[in-house]
Structure formats: C-alpha cells, structure tokens
Amino acid sequence: MSQGSLVKRQFGRRARLALSPASAVKVDDQAPAARTLWNLLHAWWRMMPKERRTLTNADAAIRQARKDIDFLAVLPAQAAQAVLKTYFRAWKNCWDGRAAAPNFKGRFRTVMSVDIPQGRDLHVTRVHRRWGMVDIPKVGRVRFRWTKDLPVGRRADEENRITGARLVEDALGWHIAFRVQTLEATPAPHPGPEVGIDVGVTVPLALSDGTTYEHGEWLTDKEKATLLHLEQRAAQRKRHHKSGERTSRRLHHTYDRIAGLRAKAKRRALDWQHQTTTHIARTYGTVVVEALTITSMVKSAKGTIEEPGKNVAQKAGLNRSIHAEAWGRTVTLLAYKTARHGGTLVKAPAPGTSRRCSACGFTTPGSRESQAVFVCKNPDCGWSGNADHNRARNVLHLYRMGLALVPAAGRAVVRRAKRVKPTAAR
C-alpha cells in the first residue's frame, strides 16, 4: 500500500529474551500446548466430514478443548486463536499450490513457538541502552535485548507501531520476533554502478569489479574441538542404545550442546551475510546474480544399485559446503535490501558463464585450468585471471545484453532489460 510518496512497510525485529527461571517454566509450558492444540485441530479436521470443516466449528472445538484439558489452559486465548488462523491459512496455501498439506507437528522436529497476535498487549518500553521490557500474556514482564530501534512511546502511532510478536525457541534459548509496521518514504533510484556477483565455496562472493567478500571459520579451534568431542560422545552413547529404548538424559544433554554450538555458528554466518549484503545494497544500484537451481546442485551422487555413482564422498562434502554457504539466503537478503535502497536485483542464466572469456567473449573448452584460474584458449586473446571474477563479469554481461530474470513477488519472471551496445564485460 502506498500513500503519495510514502510506502507502508512490514518487517520483523528479533531479540533475545532474558527469562527468569519462573518465566522460563511458563513459556516452556505454553509452547507444547500450542503444538498440541495444532495436532488436536488437525485430528479434528481429518475426522470431520467436509461440510463441517468450517472456521466456526473449529473455533467451537478449540474452546471446548481448552475447557476440558487443563494442559491447554496455560495457552492464552488469543494465542489459541492464532493457531486456528495459522492452520486454516496453511490449508489455503495448500489449495492455492503454494505449499504442501499441513500435517501433525512432531515433538523434536518442530520449532517451538507461541504467537502474540495483538500488539497492544505487549506494552514495549526501553529501560536501558541495551535492554527493553515487554509484557507476555500469562508470563509477565520480561526483559529483552534491545538491538534495533522499535516504534514505541512517542514514536508509535497508527502508521508506525508494533502489530504483534512471536516467541521462538532455538538452541540458544527463547527469542521474541516483533512484527513492525512503518510508513517510510519511497526510496529514490539508486545512483550506484552495476555489478555482477558470483557465489562460490572457496570464495563466497566475487564481484565483477574485482572485489571479494570472504570469511573465516564460524567456530574457533577450541569450539571445533569441543564439537568433535561431543559428536564422538553422542555416537558412542547411541551405539549402546537399543532400538525402541527411551533415549537417556545424558544423550539428550549431549545433543543439546551440539545443537548450541551449531546454532552459534549459524548465527555468526547470518551476521556476516547481513553485513555483507547491506554493504553491497548501499554501494551498487543494480546487482546481478546467477539464477541457480540449488536443489539440483546438491543432489546426491550415490546412484542406484544397477548404476552406482562415482566420487560419492567428495560430492557429499561439496553438498555440505554449498549448504553451509546458504546461497539462497544471500540472494533473499539482497532482494529486499536493494529494494529498500532504491536498487534492483536481477538474475541472469548461469549456464556457460564459467567457460566464457569475459575479455574476448569466446567460449573454448579447457579454459578453466583450475578452480581459481581462468586462461583463455583463444589464440588471439590469451587473457588470464581469477576464474570467479571472470564468471561475475560474464553474469553482468548477460544483463547488459538484455538477458535477465528479475525477481518479483518472490518468484522470477522474464523481463527484457534495456539493450545497450553489446561490448565485452570488463
């Protein structure tokens, strides 16, 4: 929605909660209650005939269940209504072809969360430079880490306000994700230059102007040694675990520590991605990336019994490295950040970009001598340079030639870019 030169924007702000032991117990009770309510609702849906699967009947069933089952009463009524709305929205997404059909939520594979749909119930205040306070229904007043400014106090009005929140648990504890609505000025077109980006494993981001963005290991040597020790301990304890036997508390504790270290590495990787994509969005007006089909790139090379695959272990290691770099998340971050700064994100077709010479434009076999070096085999050229930067320049060249895929509403649609003189990208 837009109002003149202003545009309404909705986004999230996630912060870490500092729960007291008593508050943590209450939140730990609400999350399983929300999951159980979802499962009961799904069982009710499968049991009822089609003509009785209505929102009114489901609401009546939920109200009756919260009266009959004391365990569900710890969940606030508005959070229960949010579960109902989310469940019906999941079926609508399924019918529209946007998602698979909803199913039961398992105990261990489900992210524990509790929705707070009403923003007026939160009463968010800032009490310190680093801390804020928020009201959580049936929990009380809780501190949270203040990392981003929120529209509270005098800054809050009908157009700039917190519309709700969600409590989410991960391996590092409980967090609160605020839903924020603001009215901002429409960004002016970004005057920055165009740039092509090549994503990789050895060099995470290589730009067509010669810039590279690299990172080190996400865990320190001590943390990696601890993670290896915990994984070996978990494997040893699991070896003595009989099939069908209940998992011991020691093994669960080991799994929790492993998940904590992996979550810490993921948080550091996400922080690097946010800082890097923000700098790119502020610097460049048009960002061109490859239209990669990552799901096809990370398929297993195991093959079949009749035709077994080759180099299966090496391909599995490459797949893990691709997953660790999270190329899709990088493109997602670039998409909304370039739009916020008035820029444009464009996707160019990937085939052939690694074998084409960005200096003369010829594609000759064997030009990429190694993972890092490109040497043109054209006798009239002979150009050599970094293979990643060469591919990034080829990606930019495809955009300048008018071959581009511009993401729109989360999907890529073909759009012809403005044709310019077809010179080689340098």
Side-chain angles (χ1 to χ4, degrees):
M1 292 177 59
S2 62
Q3 180 179 337
S5 61
L6 300 179
V7 60
K8 186 178 292 186
R9 178 169 166 260
Q10 295 180 349
F11 56 94
R13 287 279 187 258
R14 182 164 170 151
R16 177 167 53 89
L17 288 174
L19 295 170
S20 64
S23 300
V25 171
K26 295 179 181 178
V27 178
D28 289 339
D29 290 340
Q30 288 189 13
R35 181 183 62 85
T36 304
L37 190 62
W38 173 285
N39 291 338
L40 291 175
L41 185 60
H42 187 59
W44 174 89
W45 178 276
R46 297 177 61 182
M47 181 180 62
M48 287 291 106
K50 291 184 178 181
E51 62 273 9
R52 297 192 59 185
R53 295 174 181 174
T54 62
L55 187 62
T56 304
N57 293 338
D59 179 59
I62 282 182
R63 293 176 184 272
Q64 188 63 37
R66 296 186 71 246
K67 291 180 181 178
D68 297 339
I69 304 175
D70 295 338
F71 170 67
L72 299 179
V74 300
L75 190 67
Q78 293 180 350
Q81 293 296 316
V83 173
L84 175 61
K85 293 179 181 179
T86 304
Y87 183 79
F88 271 76
R89 191 183 305 118
W91 274 114
K92 188 177 185 305
N93 293 336
C94 174
W95 296 331
D96 294 342
R98 293 192 297 267
N103 205 343
F104 291 104
K105 291 188 176 182
R107 179 181 177 185
F108 296 108
R109 67 176 185 270
T110 303
V111 177
M112 289 294 167
S113 63
V114 180
D115 197 65
I116 307 174
Q118 299 288 348
R120 62 173 179 267
D121 297 337
L122 297 172
H123 303 293
V124 179
T125 57
R126 187 172 187 176
V127 297
H128 190 264
R129 182 170 61 91
R130 295 184 177 181
W131 293 98
M133 297 290 288
V134 59
D135 282 342
I136 299 179
K138 290 197 173 184
V139 175
R141 198 77 172 155
V142 178
R143 288 196 310 161
F144 68 92
R145 188 74 170 178
W146 192 285
T147 55
K148 292 283 188 178
D149 288 336
L150 297 170
V152 297
R154 296 180 179 178
R155 299 180 56 188
D157 52 37
E158 187 63 26
E159 302 294 344
N160 300 275
R161 57 193 176 92
I162 298 175
T163 60
R166 178 182 289 268
L167 305 180
V168 183
E169 184 186 29
D170 60 11
L172 300 176
W174 282 97
H175 297 73
I176 183 168
F178 295 102
R179 291 188 289 269
V180 182
Q181 173 186 294
T182 60
L183 197 64
E184 299 180 353
T186 305
H190 199 296
E194 303 168 345
V195 68
I197 297 180
D198 171 58
V199 294
V201 174
T202 306
V203 180
L205 294 178
L207 275 58
S208 57
D209 60 0
T211 308
T212 57
Y213 292 92
E214 302 183 44
H215 59 75
E217 297 290 339
W218 303 125
L219 295 176
T220 63
D221 293 339
K222 184 177 180 180
E223 290 170 340
K224 288 191 290 186
T226 303
L227 179 60
L228 178 61
H229 174 69
L230 291 173
E231 291 174 341
Q232 292 174 345
R233 181 190 296 179
Q236 181 182 8
R237 289 176 175 172
K238 190 176 181 180
R239 192 161 48 243
H240 298 285
H241 180 265
K242 298 180 181 179
S243 179
E245 184 182 3
R246 186 175 181 179
T247 306
S248 65
R249 290 187 178 180
R250 289 185 177 182
L251 184 55
H252 272 307
H253 180 64
T254 304
Y255 284 151
D256 291 340
R257 293 184 63 188
I258 292 174
L261 284 172
R262 290 177 177 172
K264 184 180 293 186
K266 181 179 178 181
R267 183 179 61 180
R268 292 170 180 171
L270 184 60
D271 178 69
W272 178 85
Q273 282 184 310
H274 271 292
Q275 294 189 35
T276 303
T277 53
T278 299
H279 183 266
I280 293 174
R282 290 175 177 173
T283 306
Y284 303 98
T286 301
V287 179
V288 189
V289 297
E290 296 175 292
L292 299 175
T293 308
I294 301 176
T295 54
S296 301
M297 298 175 62
V298 295
K299 285 185 177 179
S300 174
K302 189 164 48 177
T304 61
I305 298 178
E306 294 79 11
E307 298 181 1
K310 299 180 180 180
N311 300 325
V312 179
Q314 292 86 337
K315 184 63 169 64
L318 176 62
N319 292 347
R320 286 193 296 269
S321 300
I322 293 175
H323 281 302
E325 291 300 329
W327 296 339
R329 188 169 61 197
T330 300
V331 175
T332 301
L333 296 178
L334 279 173
Y336 82 83
K337 290 184 179 182
T338 50
R340 283 194 63 190
H341 291 85
T344 306
L345 178 74
V346 180
K347 292 185 179 181
T353 54
S354 61
R355 301 190 302 270
R356 178 184 180 276
C357 177
S358 60
C360 65
F362 280 87
T363 301
T364 53
S367 295
R368 189 159 183 171
E369 294 188 347
S370 66
Q371 183 67 24
V373 179
F374 181 93
V375 178
C376 182
K377 299 300 182 181
N378 181 14
D380 297 331
C381 178
W383 179 85
S384 64
N386 185 275
D388 297 318
H389 295 305
N390 176 75
R391 187 168 186 171
R393 286 191 285 268
N394 288 330
V395 170
L396 179 60
H397 176 70
L398 290 174
Y399 165 73
R400 290 174 173 172
M401 289 295 294
L403 303 173
L405 295 167
V406 181
R411 293 177 292 177
V413 295
V414 178
R415 169 178 155 185
R416 299 288 293 184
K418 183 178 179 181
R419 180 173 293 276
V420 297
K421 187 177 180 180
T423 55
R426 298 182 183 272

